[in-house]
């Protein structure tokens, strides 16, 4: 027996050319995590970039917060089909963090407090495309949303914007992360609906 009346289309949702195919708009900020929420002490927080030769570049929380801060306003898109427009953040551009890092690498392997990992081509972190953010909507980023700091890569599905980010390793080869080895698409472009490996 059908659950819906014939012709039922559900609640009308606004259309916008900023909404990738297969997505719906939400005013909420859903919380989706694969495990427990890490609670990271700022006195012990450290972010490290390791280049392909093994050289490490690290920032403590005070060092990170003393860097040039930017306030991106971006649309975000989750692979579970919700999109949220005009989100406001504050953080440090990956362009600034990578400015003095010696590298010829083509790929980045991102890891988080709590053990989560994801991978990206390095070019997707450069040229104003990505940030390490610590503030959302004018407030400290809540741990459920990745605080004290998360990666923000708004042009890709949000699983690439790793919560509780801890480190980036720059590599000459691609190294798929948690969801990518579980069957998600290796890149995750929402405008091409790259949700799963065969998309």
């Amino acid at each position: 027996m059908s659950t819906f009346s014939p012709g039922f289309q559900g609640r009308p949702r606004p259309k916008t050319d900023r909404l990738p195919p297969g997505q719906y708009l939400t005013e909420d900020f859903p919380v989706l995590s694969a495990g427990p929420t890490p609670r990271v002490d700022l006195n012990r927080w450290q972010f490290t970039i390791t280049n392909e030769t093994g050289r490490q570049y690290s920032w403590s929380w005070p060092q990170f917060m003393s860097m040039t801060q930017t306030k991106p306003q971006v649309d975000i898109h989750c692979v579970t089909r919700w999109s949220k427009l005009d989100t406001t953040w504050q953080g440090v551009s990956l362009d600034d963090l990578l400015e003095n890092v010696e590298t010829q690498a083509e790929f980045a392997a991102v890891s988080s407090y709590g053990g989560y990992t994801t991978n990206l081509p390095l070019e997707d972190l450069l040229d104003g495309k990505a940030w390490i953010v610590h503030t959302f909507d004018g407030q400290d980023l809540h741990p459920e949303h990745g605080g004290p700091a998360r990666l923000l890569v708004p042009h890709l599905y949000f699983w690439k914007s790793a919560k509780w980010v801890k480190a980036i390793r720059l590599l000459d080869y691609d190294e798929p992360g948690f969801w990518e080895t579980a069957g998600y698409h290796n890149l995750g472009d929402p405008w091409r609906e790259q949700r799963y490996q065969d998309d």
Side-chain angles (χ1 to χ4, degrees):
M1 185 172 73
S2 175
T3 305
F4 302 114
S5 300
F8 179 77
Q9 299 292 319
R11 180 183 298 176
R13 295 186 169 114
K15 301 291 185 183
T16 170
D17 58 4
R18 293 163 59 186
L19 193 63
Q23 297 292 111
Y24 69 90
L25 291 177
T26 182
E27 297 294 326
D28 298 327
F29 195 168
V31 175
L32 303 168
S33 298
T37 298
R39 306 287 172 170
V40 184
D41 185 340
L42 294 182
N43 292 318
R44 299 176 61 188
W45 185 90
Q46 186 175 53
F47 176 68
T48 300
I49 296 176
T50 305
N51 73 7
E52 64 273 32
T53 69
R55 182 175 176 184
Q56 292 189 333
Y57 305 75
S58 294
W59 296 263
S60 65
W61 188 259
Q63 290 170 330
F64 172 69
M65 294 299 287
S66 71
M67 298 183 70
T68 301
Q69 303 288 313
T70 57
K71 296 181 178 180
Q73 179 173 311
V74 295
D75 302 339
I76 56 176
H77 313 287
C78 181
V79 71
T80 60
R81 300 187 181 278
W82 61 262
S83 290
K84 188 173 178 64
L85 305 184
D86 295 321
T87 61
T88 57
W89 308 81
Q90 182 173 324
V92 178
S93 167
L94 260 294
D95 291 318
D96 289 342
L97 288 161
L98 288 161
E99 183 178 11
N100 296 313
V101 174
E102 297 175 8
T103 184
Q104 298 297 317
E106 295 184 21
F107 299 98
V110 181
S111 59
S112 301
Y113 291 92
Y116 179 77
T117 60
T118 191
N119 61 309
L120 304 97
L122 183 56
E123 65 181 7
D124 283 286
L125 295 178
L126 299 173
D127 298 326
K129 297 176 189 168
W131 299 263
I132 303 294
V133 292
H134 53 77
T135 299
F136 172 74
D137 201 18
Q139 303 292 323
D140 291 345
L141 186 59
H142 193 280
E144 288 186 339
H145 290 300
R150 72 180 297 162
L151 182 62
L152 175 65
V153 191
H155 69 284
L156 299 178
Y157 282 126
F158 218 41
W159 89 79
K160 294 289 186 177
S161 296
K163 297 178 178 179
W164 317 294
V165 68
K166 178 181 182 180
I168 294 176
R169 287 183 296 122
L170 304 178
L171 304 170
D172 295 323
Y173 55 89
D174 197 10
E175 185 178 281
F178 179 85
W179 285 116
E180 295 81 11
T181 55
Y184 278 37
H185 196 277
N186 201 50
L187 181 61
D189 182 341
W191 293 97
R192 292 188 280 175
E193 281 204 89
Q194 293 175 334
R195 302 178 190 276
Y196 305 108
Q197 286 180 358
D198 295 331
D199 290 340

